[in-house]
Amino acid sequence: MKLIRQLGLLALILFVSEGAVQLFSLPIPANVLGMVLLFVLLCTGVVKEDDIRETADFFYQNMAFFLVPVTCGLLVEAGQLGGSALAFILIALVSTVAVYLVTGRAVLLLQKLPRKGARR
Amino acid sequence: MNLSALWQSPFFGIGLTALTYFAGAQLLKRRRIPFLTPFLISVLLVCLLLGITGIPYESYNEGGSLISEFMAPATVILALPVYRQRELLKRNLLPVVGGIFLGVLCSYFSTFLLSLLFGVRGELFLSLLPHSVTTPIATALSGQIGGVSSLTILGLMISGNLGAMLLPLMRKLFRVHDPVAHGVATGNCSHVIGTATVAAEGEVEGAFSGLSIGVAGLITVLLVPLLLKGVSL
């Protein structure tokens, strides 16, 4: 019963989020809004950790599984690129590495800035 | 007897995905092979099987799409790790938001410069531009600036998958040892696939990676008007 209840809660959060996005023409996707909503619900105590822990852990541990079908579909589409495929891939790759580098080092740098309270 | 309808059973798609994923996990249980994950093994095995048997992707996707529907709740539950790490988040608010913001800028500039270098222009360039944000935002943005959404998703998947594969290497090379920094950087460059990858390493990395996806998305959405102006130049 616990899993059913937790799935129901997640479904409700997503349903409300989808509704909000459509109703108010929000520029953010429903799943991101849902994440924010759940965070708020947890912080305010409306939803307790115990109310979603098992399901959350399941999805967390196995997240990549849910991405498999979409990724397979991509390889089917890859043919569209033709000759530009190599350039496309290289740009995506180098840019991704750059984003990791800049983001990671920037966080580390900003963490060293003096402010009240310890870093960790 | 028409067997082709059999392959359209959702249980074919679901079963194939689950069993190949499980096979991948079993294979990697005892030894770590660099760059390989159960996810990658599953994708390769599924594509291999579909390719060899000639079963159309659409048939597989009768079951596959049901699995894909659950990407949404999988994203929503990231709120829990973030909630559990909220003290750490409070202490690192500026570094996190600042780091993501700079990373988003880097994404657009590097994509722009590299496209210039490789002579990738027009629709292809516009489709590639949003490759560092999560799928729904990327496709929406792509549509707004004149890209092709299926190409955008392709660019996204390349970033996500290659990024995820390179994570251990990049972490070592760029000396991003702090779990918060690693998590934030992962989410920003490799979104959900990256988050799924670092989730195995710890809750801090996973939480901040998931958080990073959301924040990067929000920042991107806010920057869109500027981006549109820049693109029209």
Side-chain angles (χ1 to χ4, degrees):
Chain A
M1 183 49 86
K2 202 159 209 214
L3 289 179
I4 296 177
R5 198 181 72 199
Q6 293 182 0
L7 276 175
L9 176 63
L10 282 175
L12 182 63
I13 290 174
L14 274 167
F15 184 69
V16 168
S17 301
E18 283 173 1
V21 166
Q22 279 192 36
L23 215 62
F24 305 115
S25 299
L26 297 174
I28 51 173
N31 54 3
V32 171
L33 183 62
M35 180 168 63
V36 173
L37 183 57
L38 179 56
F39 183 71
V40 170
L41 290 173
L42 283 165
C43 286
T44 55
V46 176
V47 169
K48 313 275 187 310
E49 232 191 274
D50 193 52
D51 293 329
I52 36 150
R53 194 187 329 121
E54 286 83 359
T55 312
D57 286 344
F58 166 71
F59 279 115
Y60 188 73
Q61 302 298 336
N62 301 293
M63 215 180 295
F65 170 74
F66 299 97
L67 296 165
V68 170
V70 175
T71 311
C72 292
L74 252 297
L75 296 188
V76 173
E77 297 259 1
Q80 274 188 56
L81 288 176
S84 320
L86 188 62
F88 202 76
I89 293 171
L90 273 176
I91 296 172
L93 176 64
V94 176
S95 176
T96 298
V97 173
V99 172
Y100 179 89
L101 171 62
V102 168
T103 308
R105 299 303 306 181
V107 172
L108 287 173
L109 203 77
L110 291 168
Q111 278 177 328
K112 292 203 181 87
L113 287 181
R115 50 181 203 288
K116 40 181 181 155
R119 177 160 75 87
R120 300 264 307 265
Chain B
M1 193 164 67
N2 184 13
L3 267 182
S4 69
L6 187 63
W7 305 119
Q8 286 161 22
S9 162
F11 297 110
F12 168 63
I14 295 173
L16 182 64
T17 313
L19 292 174
T20 51
Y21 194 84
F22 174 68
Q26 285 298 105
L27 178 71
L28 294 171
K29 212 182 203 180
R30 249 158 286 168
R31 53 215 134 128
R32 299 194 76 198
I33 305 173
F35 304 127
L36 277 190
T37 55
F39 164 76
L40 214 58
I41 292 174
S42 179
V43 170
L44 290 172
L45 286 178
V46 168
C47 291
L48 208 68
L49 191 94
L50 293 182
I52 294 175
T53 59
I55 297 172
Y57 173 74
E58 288 74 26
S59 300
Y60 160 75
N61 210 28
E62 290 291 327
S65 59
L66 294 179
I67 295 176
S68 302
E69 290 295 337
F70 283 89
M71 286 196 311
T75 314
V76 171
I77 57 95
L78 288 171
L80 184 59
V82 175
Y83 172 74
R84 284 178 182 152
Q85 300 296 330
R86 61 197 184 284
E87 279 309 306
L88 203 55
L89 174 61
K90 254 187 265 188
R91 283 200 294 264
N92 288 280
L93 202 58
L94 177 68
V96 167
V97 177
I100 296 174
F101 180 71
L102 290 172
V104 169
L105 289 181
C106 171
S107 169
Y108 294 124
F109 279 118
S110 61
T111 304
F112 174 68
L113 289 172
L114 289 165
S115 298
L116 218 63
L117 187 68
F118 287 103
V120 170
R121 273 185 282 271
E123 226 173 39
L124 213 57
F125 162 67
L126 293 173
S127 306
L128 194 49
L129 207 54
H131 71 93
S132 268
V133 281
T134 192
T135 314
I137 298 181
T139 42
L141 181 59
S142 173
Q144 279 177 291
I145 58 178
V148 179
S149 58
S150 58
L151 289 178
T152 297
I153 298 179
L154 194 63
L156 218 144
M157 287 277 161
I158 294 171
S159 303
N161 280 290
L162 290 181
M165 284 196 275
L166 293 174
L167 283 172
L169 193 68
M170 291 194 291
R171 187 176 199 181
K172 217 181 271 180
L173 200 69
F174 301 136
R175 299 192 305 269
V176 184
H177 300 300
D178 179 60
V180 171
H182 180 58
V184 173
T186 300
N188 209 7
C189 77
S190 170
H191 18 90
V192 190
I193 304 173
T195 305
T197 307
V198 295
E201 284 169 47
E203 192 175 76
V204 176
E205 290 90 340
F208 280 91
S209 188
L211 176 71
S212 178
I213 300 177
V215 176
L218 290 170
I219 293 177
T220 301
V221 161
L222 292 170
L223 286 178
V224 161
L226 281 169
L227 196 68
L228 286 173
K229 252 206 212 131
V231 156
S232 65
L233 285 173

